[in-house]
Amino acid sequence: MQKKIYFDHAATTPVDRRVLEKMLPYFTENFGNPNSQHAFGRETVAAVDAARDEIASLIGAKPSEIYFTSGGTEADNWALRGAAQALAHKGKHLIVSAVEHPAMIATAKDLAKKGFEVTFAEVDEYGKADLAKLERAIRPDTTFIGVMTANNEVGTIQPVAEISAMARARGIVFFTDAVQAVGALKTDVKLPAVDMLSFSGHKFYGPKGIGVLYVRAGLRIDRLVTGGHQERGMRGGTTNVPAVVGIAEALRIATEELDRNAAYVASLRDRFISRVLREIPYVKLNGHPKDRLPANANFSFRYIEGESLLYSLDLAGVAVSSGSACSSGSLEPSHVLLAMGVPEGLAHGSIRFSFGKDNTPEEVDYAVDRLKEIVVKLRALSPLFPKELKNEVYPKED
Ligand code: PLP
């Protein structure tokens, strides 16, 4: 039987069975619209309220600070557009890190066409925001700083506490996209204090198409989705009750099991990273060596196209990603790697491996063994591979 190994948990995760069980009644028996004035509606209002309370208590927020959205993309769009527009009378300069997810980068570029000025804040070679440069980018008319908690491609964890303090000392709104961090790192909107924070259910074994935007009490941002009175008039649209119930349960489980799962997944990542670096030559680990998400390993394989590697691994039954899942399919090199100063050739040869709680050390070993064979094969075919180099890999040591 063909192996099917999933090492793409940063793209999405399967729904945890316990989460699914909790969601199921809300597709059938408890299908009421929470806006309805009858018993069916009241039942689902109670479920949505309970989910909101649960999420708030898990991240140190108040229920009134939690807004449900259609996912991370909408939450990011809303945070940036909503704050930029609401604060436009104060200033029109926005700062967004250069390694944000396209949900932020594309939104910032869009705003730049509509009269705002955007600075894409530089990062260092590991993808970390450069605090001195960030501080220099701040202007009297800066109203918003957005820096993600952890990067989706290379896994680098940002100095969010320092950036938040820098922004707040100057009365600038600080937003962090925690889509990759929630479920992997402890999340508390008070530690460090942030003004807004986003996350998405499908990254931590919850359903797709549901996200949360936390907005600190007292901060007014403009609405993005106009319509009915849902979400206290701030986001129209009939509430996706099963998904709301699901994201709350997924967050409860992820928080409860965080220490154990993060340690386990990090052990798989470390086994993978150390074998690849020892056994395959001409490989670069992208991202921070220590301050990285427990599940993330990102490598550039010199003299190889990432896409060819991805397809060969797929044929061997190993699912990985080249660059970000959202921009794969395009042959543009990753904007994250380019911002980190990785040369274009190397950026093209990059692959992200992201591990999950159901992966095993045997799967890691199988993947490394296949990877070694594939790398040798692709380098043998590559016109870029220098003739004077030996096309070889090294045996496993243990
Ligand atoms: N932000 C980050 C850092 C992500 O990794 C993703 C998804 O890959 C998103 C935002 C978008 O989230 P969603 O898929 O829920 O729209």
Side-chain angles (χ1 to χ4, degrees):
M1 243 242 309
Q2 166 74 322
K3 282 221 186 262
K4 254 182 112 188
I5 298 176
Y6 188 75
F7 284 166
D8 202 13
H9 292 82
T12 196
T13 56
V15 172
D16 187 298
R17 292 261 158 218
R18 293 166 288 179
V19 172
L20 179 65
E21 288 303 320
K22 188 108 192 215
M23 291 170 68
L24 280 176
Y26 296 96
F27 287 103
T28 50
E29 301 100 83
N30 307 334
F31 63 88
N33 184 331
N35 258 15
S36 300
Q37 310 290 312
H38 43 63
F40 290 82
R42 281 194 298 278
E43 234 168 44
T44 48
V45 166
V48 172
D49 285 350
R52 198 185 305 278
D53 290 352
E54 174 101 67
I55 290 173
S57 82
L58 289 167
I59 65 167
K62 298 186 205 104
S64 57
E65 296 173 316
I66 303 296
Y67 295 91
F68 292 111
T69 67
S70 65
T73 301
E74 185 191 324
D76 286 2
N77 263 259
W78 188 9
L80 177 48
R81 274 184 215 280
Q85 285 163 13
L87 299 168
H89 64 282
K90 278 193 172 176
K92 290 190 141 193
H93 180 237
L94 315 166
I95 301 178
V96 164
S97 100
V99 294
E100 295 298 294
H101 186 273
M104 290 292 286
I105 300 276
T107 307
K109 287 186 176 162
D110 201 40
L111 287 166
K113 287 192 208 129
K114 296 187 171 122
F116 289 88
E117 264 187 85
V118 179
T119 300
F120 290 101
E122 288 178 42
V123 296
D124 66 15
E125 64 188 296
Y126 302 116
K128 266 203 194 215
D130 183 318
L131 294 177
K133 284 190 180 154
L134 187 66
E135 188 156 26
R136 281 201 295 277
I138 295 175
R139 311 189 324 204
D141 59 342
T142 307
T143 57
F144 176 98
I145 298 179
V147 179
M148 67 206 322
T149 307
N151 184 264
N152 48 303
E153 294 189 33
V154 297
T156 299
I157 298 169
Q158 297 291 354
V160 167
E162 286 88 335
I163 301 169
S164 165
M166 196 190 285
R168 296 186 122 218
R170 292 164 178 80
I172 299 168
V173 167
F174 177 66
F175 163 69
T176 190
D177 169 341
V179 169
Q180 290 289 335
V182 167
L185 309 173
K186 287 193 175 66
T187 304
D188 186 326
V189 294
K190 303 279 184 320
L191 296 169
V194 295
D195 293 310
M196 291 189 283
L197 176 145
S198 65
F199 58 93
S200 173
H202 73 108
K203 305 292 185 180
F204 50 93
Y205 303 90
K208 296 175 183 50
I210 183 79
V212 163
L213 180 64
Y214 156 82
V215 183
R216 177 180 57 73
L219 174 64
R220 303 293 305 166
I221 62 169
D222 279 10
R223 283 178 295 181
L224 188 67
V225 181
T226 45
H229 297 293
Q230 292 89 354
E231 299 302 299
R232 304 175 296 290
M234 288 300 286
R235 197 257 180 195
T238 301
T239 309
N240 184 348
V241 180
V244 163
V245 169
I247 192 173
E249 180 68 354
L251 186 63
R252 186 189 69 72
I253 295 170
T255 307
E256 208 171 279
E257 300 179 351
L258 190 141
D259 289 340
R260 178 158 43 95
N261 285 340
Y264 176 66
V265 163
S267 75
L268 298 178
R269 174 202 63 188
D270 293 345
R271 182 186 188 99
F272 184 79
I273 290 179
S274 69
R275 277 201 66 191
V276 168
L277 291 179
R278 241 186 295 123
E279 297 169 40
I280 307 181
Y282 318 120
V283 169
K284 176 182 186 300
L285 176 69
N286 296 311
H288 200 277
K290 287 197 306 291
D291 297 337
R292 70 186 306 135
L293 288 171
N296 176 290
N298 184 309
F299 289 105
S300 288
F301 295 86
R302 209 178 273 271
Y303 315 120
I304 296 179
E305 284 285 334
E307 306 291 315
S308 329
L309 204 49
L310 184 150
Y311 296 129
S312 304
L313 280 169
D314 191 30
L315 282 176
V318 183
V320 299
S321 160
S322 76
S324 113
C326 312
S327 63
S328 67
S330 88
L331 286 174
E332 289 288 298
S334 143
H335 71 282
V336 173
L337 295 176
L338 295 184
M340 288 160 56
V342 175
E344 208 166 302
L346 262 187
H348 269 299
S350 85
I351 292 281
R352 177 186 70 189
F353 303 82
S354 45
F355 306 97
K357 60 184 181 180
D358 299 320
N359 289 136
T360 62
E362 292 70 35
E363 289 179 332
V364 167
D365 284 340
Y366 172 87
V368 179
D369 293 342
R370 296 296 79 71
L371 190 58
K372 287 164 73 175
E373 295 161 5
I374 292 165
V375 163
V376 167
K377 201 176 80 196
L378 293 178
R379 282 185 180 153
L381 296 171
S382 169
L384 303 172
F385 191 76
K387 297 259 177 310
E388 62 278 15
L389 296 182
K390 267 199 182 152
N391 186 7
E392 61 186 352
V393 288
Y394 307 112
K396 181 172 187 236
E397 270 175 29
D398 57 8

